[in-house]
Amino acid sequence: MGRGKVEMRRIENKISRQVTFAKRRNGLLKKAYELSLLCDAEVALIIFSGRGRLFEFSSSSCMYRTLERYRTCNSNSQEATPPLENEINYQEYLKLKTRVEFLQSSQRNILGEDLGPLSMKELDQIENQIDASLKHIRSKKNQVLLDQLFELKSKEQELQDENNDLRKKLQDTTSCCGDNAVHMSWQDGGQCSSRVLHPEHDTSMQIGPTWTS
């Protein structure tokens, strides 16, 4: 029994779409390799996934050489060949573009996206990267907490020192007021004792009439 006819339309299920893309991409790359090997043809294949990830195959040692050959044949003019400076700039552009797309794809993988086409080895690498990132984040978080704790301890010590200074000043002020009160009481007491010890000097204390000759 043969396979049923596949309807040519966009696959709505995300996982199924990723699996189908991986299978058909590998098949297309294999066909391109076989074509170049069996027929001695110069083949260049460029594939971008729905998320922008780049997949490519080139039978020659340099993809750019094949692309420039295509541009030359397509324009059918010698003027279409870019100068050496433009060629170098275009090569740098392709390298940077590939690098950016790789970083974007890696970022999506770390966020848990586009994991369907990845192999077990690639999944292990992503897991190790996430573990290393978590360790770095936890270490930085602990350092920030320790710095905050040290700052709070320093402020606590400063407040405690200020409190001790205020307590000492208050004790000094209380002691000074107490000495003044004792001195004033001693002066009042001394005057009373003088009046008690010398009653003969007070005429109001004499008893009986006074006779005069």
Side-chain angles (χ1 to χ4, degrees):
M1 183 176 180
R3 296 177 57 184
K5 184 178 180 181
V6 178
E7 183 179 359
M8 290 293 105
R9 63 183 181 85
R10 183 177 183 272
I11 301 175
E12 298 299 332
N13 184 274
K14 182 178 180 180
I15 297 178
S16 299
R17 185 168 64 248
Q18 292 176 347
V19 172
T20 302
F21 171 78
K23 291 181 179 180
R24 290 182 177 260
R25 176 203 64 201
N26 294 335
L28 186 59
L29 292 172
K30 181 180 178 181
K31 291 294 184 182
Y33 169 74
E34 292 174 352
L35 178 63
S36 64
L37 184 64
L38 296 175
C39 303
D40 194 23
E42 183 176 355
V43 180
L45 177 62
I46 299 176
I47 303 174
F48 288 100
S49 68
R51 293 288 186 174
R53 187 174 182 181
L54 172 65
F55 301 91
E56 61 180 311
F57 168 79
S58 176
S59 59
S60 63
S61 59
C62 181
M63 170 73 75
Y64 174 76
R65 187 181 305 166
T66 305
L67 293 176
E68 284 304 311
R69 183 178 179 183
Y70 165 76
R71 292 179 58 184
T72 303
C73 294
N74 191 41
S75 62
N76 197 20
S77 173
Q78 186 66 26
E79 297 178 355
T81 304
L84 179 60
E85 182 178 357
N86 292 337
E87 178 179 349
I88 296 175
N89 291 336
Y90 186 69
Q91 289 179 347
E92 292 296 327
Y93 163 75
L94 290 179
K95 291 180 180 178
L96 292 175
K97 186 173 183 295
T98 303
R99 180 62 177 169
V100 170
E101 291 169 352
F102 174 76
L103 293 176
Q104 291 176 344
S105 176
S106 299
Q107 183 180 12
R108 289 192 297 268
N109 293 151
I110 292 176
L111 294 176
E113 301 177 357
D114 294 344
L115 300 179
L118 300 182
S119 64
M120 182 60 67
K121 182 178 180 180
E122 291 173 328
L123 292 174
D124 290 337
Q125 292 177 350
I126 294 174
E127 185 178 7
N128 293 333
Q129 291 177 357
I130 294 175
D131 290 338
S133 299
L134 287 176
K135 290 180 181 179
H136 180 72
I137 292 172
R138 292 192 185 102
S139 177
K140 181 62 177 179
K141 180 180 178 181
N142 292 334
Q143 184 62 41
V144 171
L145 290 176
L146 290 175
D147 293 341
Q148 292 179 351
L149 181 61
F150 178 78
E151 184 178 357
L152 290 175
K153 287 289 186 181
S154 300
K155 290 182 180 180
E156 181 183 7
Q157 185 63 38
E158 292 177 359
L159 293 175
Q160 189 173 1
D161 293 341
E162 293 179 1
N163 191 22
N164 292 334
D165 292 339
L166 292 175
R167 185 182 291 106
K168 184 177 179 181
K169 291 180 181 180
L170 180 61
Q171 290 176 353
D172 294 341
T173 303
T174 304
S175 176
C176 181
C177 292
D179 292 342
N180 292 334
V182 171
H183 181 67
M184 293 176 63
S185 299
W186 181 84
Q187 288 181 344
D188 294 340
Q191 292 178 358
C192 292
S193 300
S194 175
R195 296 172 71 178
V196 172
L197 293 175
H198 304 281
E200 64 275 9
H201 295 280
D202 190 351
T203 57
S204 63
M205 296 296 291
Q206 297 181 1
I207 302 175
T210 301
W211 300 94
T212 59
S213 55

